[in-house]
Amino acid sequence: LLVIAAGIALVNSHEMALLDDRRSAQDYFLGTVFALAAVFAWTWYPLRNSRWLQQRPALASGTWAIAQGLATLPLALLGMAAAGLYFRAHGGFDFPLGADAGRYVGLMLLLGFCASWLGTLLWNRASRLLPAALVGQLIVFETLAAFAYAFILRGALPGSTALIGIALLVGGVILGVRAFRGN
């Protein structure tokens, strides 16, 4: 875990050097609060989900993934309604489906299937097969994906500090897996 923390610190030091001076200190404070809340949620979820699934060996991972998706659908609809109210007040987006509705719906269906349902199905399967403490460490790959998206969006390669941090993140997970395997 210390290796993972060092990796996150290095990558974030690289990102902090790229901060946008046009943003206020309040923006960064709120962003930090939301990020910490997300870390709490993504620490709690894999541990709780793993324990819950291990207590119910008869429940299929796919069934649980579908149940989770159906339970979150009303929340997604509420979020979409809130976004609609926001965009109506602030403009800037052709709500609810954008300028190209077919493309938007197709992309949302693809994301819903791949990221939400398939991702949850595979995560539930991993939660059943691996110890909860190890599953929690594997969430680091979501952090790595976020960094990859940021670099792609910027159209730039990560600097040496970020690359060392990424290597430490991956190395920390490998060390965690080896510790659980006893090697």
Side-chain angles (χ1 to χ4, degrees):
L1 290 175
L2 290 175
V3 173
I4 291 171
I8 289 173
L10 280 175
V11 175
N12 282 321
S13 71
H14 173 80
E15 292 299 310
M16 294 297 278
L18 301 173
L19 289 179
D20 184 354
D21 291 338
R22 295 172 292 179
R23 295 202 180 263
S24 69
Q26 182 181 3
D27 285 345
Y28 287 114
F29 174 76
L30 285 173
T32 301
V33 168
F34 290 138
L36 290 172
V39 167
F40 172 79
W42 275 110
T43 300
W44 174 83
Y45 171 75
L47 295 173
R48 182 67 187 115
N49 190 58
S50 179
R51 286 185 191 128
W52 197 89
L53 281 169
Q54 288 175 2
Q55 292 170 352
R56 293 158 181 83
L59 180 65
S61 298
T63 303
W64 182 229
I66 290 169
Q68 287 175 306
L70 290 173
T72 57
L73 179 62
L75 295 174
L77 293 174
L78 283 174
M80 190 166 179
L85 292 174
Y86 175 84
F87 287 125
R88 179 172 289 174
H90 295 90
F93 183 71
D94 188 11
F95 187 79
L97 302 178
D100 187 352
R103 186 175 178 190
Y104 177 81
V105 169
L107 183 60
M108 291 303 103
L109 288 172
L110 180 68
L111 283 173
F113 176 76
C114 292
S116 295
W117 181 79
L118 184 60
T120 303
L121 173 72
L122 295 172
W123 189 262
N124 288 340
R125 187 74 179 127
S127 294
R128 191 177 295 280
L129 296 172
L130 299 171
L134 180 57
V135 173
Q137 289 180 48
L138 295 178
I139 206 69
V140 161
F141 289 105
E142 186 163 334
T143 303
L144 291 173
F147 288 136
Y149 299 148
F151 294 126
I152 290 168
L153 183 64
R154 257 189 233 126
L157 293 172
S160 59
T161 305
L163 285 173
I164 293 168
I166 289 167
L168 286 172
L169 284 168
V170 173
V173 172
I174 291 169
L175 287 170
V177 169
R178 290 185 74 179
F180 277 95
R181 286 186 47 208
N183 295 336

